[in-house]
Structures are given as C-alpha cells and as structure tokens.
C-alpha cells in the first residue's frame, strides 16, 4: 500500500491480464466455426477461454461487442496496406484482399452483427468507427495518389468511387446471393479500374 501526497491510501488491485482480450476474441472465432452468433453464450466463451463471466463483462457488455473487436483485430492482419506504390495496382490489391477477408465465415458473422446493429446505434457506431471509416480513409489515400499521378479520373467523387467497388462486395457478403470468389474479385477490380482510368490526352 502506498500513500498519496494527501496521505490517502492508494490500493492496487491484481494487474489485468493483457493477453486475455486476445484469448477471448480468438475463442470467439473458434466457437463460431460450428455455430451461429445467436447460439453463443458468455458462459461458453468464458469456459473455453479459461476465464470467468465477470472478467468478460469487465471488458465487453455483450457478445456482439466481443465479435466487433474480434473482427477488427482480424481485419488489421488480413486486409493489410497494399505493398505497391503504383496506384492502380495498390487499389486492385486492396479490393482483392477485402473480398478474400469477407468471404466465408467472416462475412456471415458480420452480416449477423449488422442485422442486430440496425436497432443498436452503439453497436453500429463501433462498426463505423472501427472498420468503415478507417477502411474508407485508407482507400481515399490510394485514390488521391492515383488522381495526383494522373492514373485516375479527377472528376469522380471519392465516396462514389469507393462505393463503386465496396457496394458489390458487401452486397454479396451479406445477401449471399453469389460467391465472393477469385473470379468475381478480378472482374470487379478490372471493371472499377477501367471506369476510373484517366484517358490520355490526344
């Protein structure tokens, strides 16, 4: 026990396990391989993560919030900054990595999360702040570089251009009417790059 400058006691509790957050989000993805988000319980997560319900609730108020944080941790690893300095190649790389990330399990889980977020503004806000805004800002940087280097048309609004490729991706991920496969990814990237390519002056 230490004393403050006002001679008031300062109690220090047990240090928080900094690895527990990662373990809980990891466990969430493992459990979601065999069941839907609606079927999961905090008890299951706590048991598999070898922790307690109170420990989880000190960090998150719901399974949906755990899922959002797990999703954000995944996207940082699997939708990296494009390695190419050539704007058309960088935008293609970015589109392909986003499609690959949202295909399969991740797309299904996020579709369920966003369904619930329609009536939960706090949850929707976390998704916007943690995923949509950073991703769109990142895309704007690529597009801006492409416009400055005369690769992309300068008369297209940034948000419209982003929606041009993002709309079909999210629609397929959430509606699941058609696959998010390599063929679709390449065709979408080709279509977008042709549409925004700046024509050479004659």
């Amino acid at each position: 026990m230490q004393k403050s400058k006002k001679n008031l006691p300062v109690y220090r509790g047990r240090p928080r396990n900094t690895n527990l957050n990662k373990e809980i989000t990891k466990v969430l993805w493992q459990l979601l391989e065999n069941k839907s988000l609606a079927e999961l319980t905090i008890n299951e997560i706590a048991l598999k993560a070898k922790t307690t319900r109170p420990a989880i609730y000190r960090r998150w108020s719901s399974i949906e919030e755990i899922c959002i944080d797990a999703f954000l941790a995944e996207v940082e690893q699997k939708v990296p900054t494009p390695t190419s300095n050539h704007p058309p190649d960088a935008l293609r790389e970015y589109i392909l990595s986003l499609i690959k990330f949202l295909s399969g399990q991740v797309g299904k889980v996020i579709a369920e999360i966003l369904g619930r977020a329609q009536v939960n503004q706090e949850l929707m806000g976390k998704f916007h702040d943690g995923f949509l805004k950073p991703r769109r800002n990142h895309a704007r940087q690529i597009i801006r570089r492409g416009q400055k280097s005369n690769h992309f048309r300068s008369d297209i609004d940034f948000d419209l251009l982003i929606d041009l490729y993002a709309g079909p991706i999210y629609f397929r991920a959430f509606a699941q009417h058609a696959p998010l496969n390599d063929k679709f990814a390449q065709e979408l990237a080709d279509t977008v790059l042709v549409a925004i390519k700046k024509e050479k002056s004659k």
Side-chain angles (χ1 to χ4, degrees), residues 4-6 24 49 52 61 64 90 129-130 141 155 165 179:
S4 68
K5 293 180 181 180
K6 294 182 179 181
I24 291 170
T52 63
S61 62
E64 290 86 355
D129 293 341
Q141 293 175 11
D155 61 335
Y165 72 78

Side-chain angles (χ1 to χ4, degrees), residues 86-192:
H86 185 60
D89 291 342
L91 186 58
R92 176 184 293 277
E93 186 180 336
Y94 184 70
I95 291 172
L96 297 185
S97 63
L98 183 60
I99 290 174
K100 184 177 181 180
F101 176 67
L102 287 174
S103 64
Q105 180 196 16
V106 172
K108 293 177 182 178
V109 172
I110 290 305
E112 191 172 352
I113 282 288
L114 289 182
R116 300 182 185 200
Q118 299 304 309
V119 293
N120 186 329
Q121 290 303 308
E122 184 176 351
L123 196 61
M124 183 63 81
K126 287 196 68 171
F127 181 76
H128 274 256
D129 293 341
F131 176 71
L132 279 186
K133 289 179 181 178
R135 293 293 108 191
R136 292 178 76 88
N137 287 337
H138 182 61
R140 283 190 185 94
Q141 293 175 11
I142 299 174
I143 295 164
R144 187 177 288 111
R145 285 196 290 114
Q147 290 178 327
K148 287 182 177 179
S149 60
N150 291 321
H151 286 96
F152 301 154
R153 290 166 49 188
S154 60
D155 61 335
I156 298 179
D157 177 80
F158 286 156
D159 287 322
L160 177 61
L161 204 161
I162 293 169
D163 288 343
L164 183 63
Y165 72 78
I169 296 173
Y170 294 132
F171 187 58
R172 287 203 179 199
F174 302 151
Q176 299 178 26
H177 68 291
L180 283 171
N181 53 25
D182 290 340
K183 181 175 183 293
F184 166 72
Q186 294 292 348
E187 288 180 349
L188 178 63
D190 287 343
T191 301
V192 170

